[in-house]
Amino acid sequence: MKFIVSSSALLKQLQQISGVINANTVLPILEDFLFDVQKNQLSVVATDLETVMKIQLEVEAKDTGRVCIPAKILMDSLKNIPEQPLTFNIDKNYAVEITSDNGKYKVMGENPDNFPKDPVADETNSFTVTSSALVTAINKTLFAVSNDDLRPAMTGVFFEMDKKGLQFVATDAHRLVRYKRTDVSCPKSDSLIVPKKPLTLLKSAMPVNDDELTISYNSNHLFVTHGTTQLSCRLIDARFPDYKVVIPADNPYKLTVNRTDFQGALRRVGIFSNKSTNQVVLSISGSQLQLTAQDIDFSFEGNERMKCQYNGEDLQIAFNAKFLIEMLNATDTDDVTVELSTSTKAGIIRPSDQDENEELMMLVMPLMLNT
């Protein structure tokens, strides 16, 4: 089998899917890309058994065939070859010879029959969503996903679908993010949990534009298609916690602050907080917000004052500064509103203004005040 392909086009496509491959895998064949040539069309597949990514690109080829090529050595060599056509020659023993303008490189491929099969997309439900809507949803929720493998349901993002829209929920039991889109219509009310890794891969592979993506799912897998790129992943088989019960119904006090000023103050004061809790105490009275952090073990202390708009009774409440900074990163408005009630109830953070098609709500649990 022989085909000719542009070195930079191949590298660009392989970079989109190379993140699927794990460095220390049990099966050596999972360290390979599967190349499949059919009539001037090359498909390349990467998998870790849970997630599969596939890209397609045009090549010059007279014959058809398949081969597995070790991913690392192929990627490393393509990164160092300037833009030019490369000729791939594969013999019947799966030895791969790559010829460039000035060089010839050989690598031993593997039998493609040993490569895992793709999951079958049968009995699926489908809907479309813009690429930017999906990327935005991932960016606004992924940071709140739990890394605790003992609670598998929380290690992914919960997709809740109905005819009125699509919402994405992530929680690690200390904070919760819910992002709603009303400009998406799903065929029926349904829900599923998508693991963190495929969402991270989608975020970097998908363009932030109005291209339409097709999302399909069945009871075990999610399938996302954008042009010549496809991703499928196994869903998390667990029950997502009933997150609605933790959202406080009434948080009467409202604190409005400039997002970047608040984030900067949290970063500076947070340096002096206890490293295990990252606790920063917010003392709010009138139009003044004071941030205080201390680490008693090292006699560290930091405090800052800043202006705010606040209507409510004077309040002292403590939060994990790292969590607040990450949540403020997920908003892109100048100001944010923090809804509060008492020092032991969750605070709710919202952007001060939101687009008509989207709604972002972030909840963060307070820490015990060291009195």
Side-chain angles (χ1 to χ4, degrees):
M1 172 174 91
K2 176 181 170 182
F3 64 90
I4 300 168
V5 62
S6 148
S7 60
S8 58
L10 181 60
L11 175 63
K12 188 180 168 198
Q13 296 285 4
L14 293 183
Q15 280 171 330
Q16 287 193 2
I17 64 171
S18 61
V20 177
I21 296 170
N22 289 335
N24 43 1
T25 172
V26 192
L27 297 169
I29 194 121
L30 296 180
E31 295 174 4
D32 295 357
F33 290 124
L34 170 65
F35 277 60
D36 186 345
V37 178
Q38 307 282 341
K39 298 252 176 75
N40 292 333
Q41 186 88 12
L42 166 67
S43 304
V44 187
V45 184
T47 182
D48 65 358
L49 293 180
E50 296 290 315
T51 306
V52 182
M53 273 190 95
K54 181 191 271 185
I55 52 96
Q56 290 174 321
L57 73 162
E58 298 289 318
V59 294
E60 278 180 53
K62 291 193 171 63
D63 37 11
T64 61
R66 299 159 77 229
V67 65
C68 289
I69 304 179
K72 188 177 184 313
I73 191 162
L74 180 61
M75 293 288 290
D76 289 348
S77 57
L78 286 172
K79 282 174 191 165
N80 292 295
I81 295 174
E83 158 56 28
Q84 59 187 284
L86 296 179
T87 305
F88 281 70
N89 259 311
I90 294 102
D91 69 17
K92 59 181 185 302
N93 299 318
Y94 309 113
V96 182
E97 187 179 89
I98 305 167
T99 312
S100 69
D101 290 349
N102 307 322
K104 198 173 269 193
Y105 316 98
K106 286 183 181 171
V107 57
M108 197 59 216
E110 289 189 67
N111 185 338
D113 296 342
N114 300 331
F115 198 81
K117 301 276 181 286
D118 293 358
V120 183
D122 54 359
E123 294 179 26
T124 58
N125 295 296
S126 302
F127 59 92
T128 58
V129 58
T130 63
S131 185
S132 61
L134 184 64
V135 172
T136 305
I138 295 170
N139 282 329
K140 289 190 188 305
T141 52
L142 204 59
F143 69 89
V145 168
S146 171
N147 295 317
D148 181 2
D149 292 332
L150 296 174
R151 293 194 274 192
M154 292 187 187
T155 60
V157 175
F158 185 55
F159 284 41
E160 247 183 331
M161 297 157 283
D162 62 35
K163 289 196 164 75
K164 289 192 218 117
L166 171 61
Q167 62 180 16
F168 305 82
V169 185
T171 181
D172 60 4
H174 304 290
R175 54 193 166 164
L176 183 144
V177 181
R178 184 185 68 196
Y179 177 69
K180 270 187 196 169
R181 295 289 308 200
T182 52
D183 53 357
V184 183
S185 179
C186 306
K188 59 175 190 166
S189 296
D190 226 331
S191 63
L192 45 95
I193 308 172
V194 185
K196 191 173 184 174
K197 180 176 174 178
L199 292 174
T200 309
L201 292 164
L202 274 175
K203 187 174 80 166
S204 50
M206 296 298 147
V208 185
N209 60 19
D210 292 336
D211 286 4
E212 285 226 320
L213 310 180
T214 304
I215 297 182
S216 318
Y217 63 93
N218 55 25
S219 53
N220 298 316
H221 290 90
L222 179 82
F223 305 90
V224 181
T225 309
H226 168 256
T228 56
T229 307
Q230 292 167 309
L231 175 138
S232 62
C233 69
R234 195 188 300 278
L235 298 170
I236 295 173
D237 183 14
R239 198 160 154 224
F240 199 75
D242 184 3
Y243 67 90
K244 295 184 178 86
V245 297
V246 299
I247 301 172
D250 184 31
N251 270 12
Y253 306 157
K254 288 193 171 45
L255 163 73
T256 305
V257 284
N258 178 284
R259 181 179 70 92
T260 43
D261 293 352
F262 188 34
Q263 207 173 20
L266 283 166
R267 283 205 170 101
R268 291 187 292 272
V269 174
I271 293 166
F272 300 91
S273 65
N274 178 300
K275 289 297 158 275
S276 61
T277 62
N278 298 303
Q279 185 185 64
V280 171
V281 179
L282 309 183
S283 308
I284 319 158
S285 61
S287 62
Q288 188 163 297
L289 166 64
Q290 177 145 6
L291 297 87
T292 313
Q294 53 178 326
D295 189 339
I296 294 160
D297 300 342
F298 295 97
S299 304
F300 293 165
E301 195 173 327
N303 63 67
E304 261 192 47
R305 288 191 309 276
M306 62 179 287
K307 285 191 167 62
C308 67
Q309 286 174 299
Y310 179 63
N311 55 356
E313 293 175 16
D314 290 2
L315 180 66
Q316 237 192 6
I317 187 165
F319 291 113
N320 180 321
K322 192 166 146 260
F323 289 173
L324 289 182
I325 290 165
E326 286 183 334
M327 291 171 133
L328 293 169
N329 262 343
T331 60
D332 33 31
T333 53
D334 293 341
D335 295 338
V336 291
T337 303
V338 187
E339 299 168 12
L340 302 160
S341 62
T342 67
S343 62
T344 55
K345 273 200 181 159
I348 289 179
I349 301 173
R350 299 181 199 268
S352 51
D353 52 335
Q354 311 209 36
D355 289 349
E356 57 177 351
N357 293 328
E358 57 179 6
E359 185 202 326
L360 176 66
M361 190 272 323
M362 297 181 283
L363 175 149
V364 58
M365 298 304 285
L367 300 172
M368 289 279 290
L369 283 161
N370 305 331
T371 46

